[in-house]
């Protein structure tokens, strides 16, 4: 049995060594004991957030569960060699280097991890600083108010003959503008700190909805078929009371779609089916006689898969996202046009499958499944609305059987200079 196929066995070994029951470990990481049993018997692939959660619960490094610490070190050294554009011959000496100088090899691995973390930070800040309308509005408010305070202060300091009445007026203006400046600065700082909770200061409506969905782990048992009597309108009214009007509108649409999907395919039925068959969206869609787009959304709702989901409209605007560790979806900038999501929009009715990895992020690999849904036309000369849906499943650890397409997040932070789809220069450009 190959090394990468032993991940489940290593998990079981660690669990038994710590005296943990299978049910207890499953409960702590939010999956069913039957699904954990399949993982431990190497019958389900594992990666992404689920692997990290299991490693954290067992208090071990993720590499110790996948390919072992040594193989994990080799993987990071290979990433460092790729980032440094070393020749294939030089890169092949990584194992010898790690064997002769283990301390230096580990130091290099730590540096590579730090570089990857800094790249993620730069990516997030670049996205916000360059394209966040709320940030631009806050900065404009600060500068405008500061200019008003400065102008008033100059008048008061430079005109000794100013009448008492006008002095009082300018002092009142100075007090009012100073107070506005202080409040604007506090709001600006809170926004940069991204306060936790469903209503972080300055959040865009889409962000409010995403935070709400994440807080519920993208699962709503009350909307599932056979569940309680709670309606979407009641959920929005109760849980969205502190949201903006725009956020409540978006949330209403998201929950309506969730309820429709749940009626067509209850989540419990899908979980039962996955106990006996692999995660193959097209096969599962045929099994349940549902559209593939619906199946992609239902699979994304299963926390044990660690899946991500991206939905866009025909304009290419992302209207829904469920984050996956290792894959970045920009909030304000345009996404990489090389994603299978956008290719699917050009071929409605087809289902695309491709293994992809984002450049500059340690090449975390995902199996991407994408399709386009076209709405039914109810009148003449009415354009059919289309939506692209892309599911991201973490690729099995150590699986090199498929060719990986390198994609970016957005052009601004993509290091691939020769890309034919590039729209603007990258700030990640490396001088050679």
């Amino acid at each position: 049995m190959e090394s990468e196929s032993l991940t489940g066995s290593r998990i079981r070994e660690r669990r038994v060594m710590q005296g943990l029951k299978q049910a207890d470990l499953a409960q702590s990481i939010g999956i069913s004991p039957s699904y954990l049993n399949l993982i431990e018997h190497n019958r389900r692939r594992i990666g992404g957030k689920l692997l990290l959660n299991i490693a954290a619960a067992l208090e071990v490094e993720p590499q110790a569960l996948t390919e072992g610490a040594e193989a994990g070190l080799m993987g990071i050294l290979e990433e460092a060699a790729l980032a440094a554009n070393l020749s294939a011959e030089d890169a092949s000496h990584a194992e010898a280097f790690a064997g002769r100088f283990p301390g230096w090899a580990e130091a290099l691995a730590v540096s590579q991890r730090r570089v990857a973390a800094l790249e993620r930070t730069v990516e997030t800040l670049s996205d916000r600083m360059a394209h966040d309308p709320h940030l631009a509005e806050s900065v404009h408010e600060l500068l405008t108010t500061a200019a008003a305070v400065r102008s008033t202060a100059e008048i008061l300091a430079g005109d000794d003959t100013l009448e008492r009445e006008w002095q009082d007026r300018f002092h009142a203006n100075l007090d009012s503008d100073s107070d506005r400046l202080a409040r604007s600065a506090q709001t600006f700082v809170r926004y940069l700190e991204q306060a936790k909770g469903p209503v972080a200061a300055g959040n865009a409506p889409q962000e409010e909805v995403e935070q709400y969905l994440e807080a519920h782990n993208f699962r709503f048992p009350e909307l599932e078929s056979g569940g309680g009597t709670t309606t979407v309108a009641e959920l929005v009214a109760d849980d969205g009371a502190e949201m903006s009007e725009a956020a409540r509108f978006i949330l209403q649409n998201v929950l309506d779609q969730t309820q429709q999907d749940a009626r067509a395919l209850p989540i419990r039925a899908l979980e039962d089916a996955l106990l006996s068959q692999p995660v193959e969206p097209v096969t599962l869609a045929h099994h349940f006689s549902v559209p593939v787009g619906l199946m992609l959304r239902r699979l994304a709702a299963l926390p044990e898969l660690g899946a991500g989901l991206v939905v866009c409209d025909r304009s290419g605007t992302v209207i829904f996202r469920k984050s996956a560790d290792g894959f970045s979806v920009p909030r304000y900038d345009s996404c990489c046009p090389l994603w299978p999501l956008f290719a699917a929009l050009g071929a409605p009715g087809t289902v695309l499958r491709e293994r992809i990895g984002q450049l500059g992020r340690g090449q975390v690999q995902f199996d991407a499944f994408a399709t386009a849904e076209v709405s039914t036309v109810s009148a003449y000369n009415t354009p059919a609305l289309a939506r692209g849906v892309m599911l991201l499943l973490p690729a099995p650890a150590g699986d090199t059987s498929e060719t990986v397409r390198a994609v970016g997040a957005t052009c601004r932070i993509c290091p691939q200079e020769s890309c034919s789809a590039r729209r603007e220069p990258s700030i990640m450009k490396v001088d050679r």
Side-chain angles (χ1 to χ4, degrees), residues 138 141-142 179-191:
S138 297
E141 174 70 13
L142 280 174
D179 180 66
R180 184 160 65 108
L181 180 61
R183 285 186 283 105
S184 298
Q186 292 171 356
T187 301
F188 182 61
V189 170
R190 286 198 302 270
Y191 179 70

Side-chain angles (χ1 to χ4, degrees), residues 106-410:
E106 184 59 36
L108 179 59
V110 171
S111 177
Q112 179 65 21
R113 294 190 192 101
R114 186 172 300 167
V115 168
L118 290 174
E119 284 184 353
R120 287 192 290 272
T121 301
V122 169
E123 178 180 315
T124 302
L125 291 178
S126 171
D127 186 29
R128 293 178 65 190
M129 295 296 291
H131 302 280
D132 186 347
H134 300 278
L135 182 60
E137 181 181 348
S138 297
V139 173
H140 176 73
E141 174 70 13
L142 280 174
L143 294 178
T144 301
T145 309
V149 170
R150 177 61 179 168
S151 297
T152 304
E154 285 181 345
I155 293 173
L156 289 172
D159 194 343
D160 296 334
T161 61
L162 197 63
E163 296 180 2
R164 181 68 181 180
E165 179 182 355
W166 283 102
Q167 288 183 8
D168 292 340
R169 290 183 181 182
F170 280 120
H171 278 123
N173 289 343
L174 187 62
D175 178 69
S176 175
D177 289 339
S178 298
D179 180 66
R180 184 160 65 108
L181 180 61
R183 285 186 283 105
S184 298
Q186 292 171 356
T187 301
F188 182 61
V189 170
R190 286 198 302 270
Y191 179 70
L192 291 179
E193 291 177 347
Q194 284 292 288
K196 296 181 179 180
V199 198
N203 275 1
Q206 185 70 40
E207 290 180 284
E208 293 182 53
V209 174
E210 289 171 15
Q211 291 172 354
Y212 172 83
L213 296 174
E214 288 176 1
H216 287 77
N217 204 22
F218 293 83
R219 294 285 292 271
F220 297 91
E222 54 269 57
L223 299 181
E224 292 292 332
S225 179
T229 58
T230 304
T231 65
V232 170
E234 290 172 342
L235 271 180
V236 174
D238 294 340
D239 297 347
E242 297 182 356
M243 290 184 177
S244 64
E245 182 178 353
R248 288 196 297 272
F249 177 83
I250 296 173
L251 180 61
Q252 175 84 36
N253 291 334
V254 171
L255 294 182
D256 280 339
Q257 183 69 71
T258 300
Q259 187 174 58
Q260 292 173 18
D261 292 347
R263 288 171 177 170
L265 176 56
I267 205 71
R268 182 60 60 85
L270 179 57
E271 291 174 334
D272 292 341
L274 289 177
L275 296 177
S276 59
Q277 54 185 299
V279 185
E280 288 293 342
V282 172
T283 303
L284 289 166
H286 289 164
H287 175 76
F288 287 102
S289 299
V290 297
V292 175
L294 185 151
M295 179 56 66
L296 298 184
R297 291 192 294 270
R298 293 271 81 189
L299 288 172
L302 297 175
E304 57 264 30
L305 296 183
L309 185 73
V310 185
V311 180
C312 73
D313 59 20
R314 177 165 279 174
S315 72
T317 302
V318 173
I319 58 177
F320 180 86
R321 81 194 75 209
K322 178 179 181 290
S323 300
D325 292 335
F327 193 90
S328 174
V329 182
R331 292 183 181 274
Y332 308 104
D333 202 357
S334 300
C335 302
C336 174
L338 300 181
W339 292 359
L341 173 69
F342 304 118
L345 283 175
T350 62
V351 182
L352 305 181
R353 182 189 185 279
E354 193 171 14
R355 182 159 294 181
I356 61 176
Q358 279 191 333
L359 291 164
R361 299 180 63 83
Q363 279 287 317
V364 178
Q365 297 178 11
F366 295 88
D367 287 327
F369 302 85
T371 190
E373 299 178 309
V374 181
S375 64
T376 302
V377 177
S378 57
Y380 293 111
N381 301 324
T382 301
L385 300 179
R387 290 191 305 179
V389 184
M390 181 172 70
L391 177 73
L392 298 167
L393 291 176
D399 183 2
T400 59
S401 60
E402 298 188 34
T403 302
V404 180
R405 175 191 286 273
V407 301
T410 184

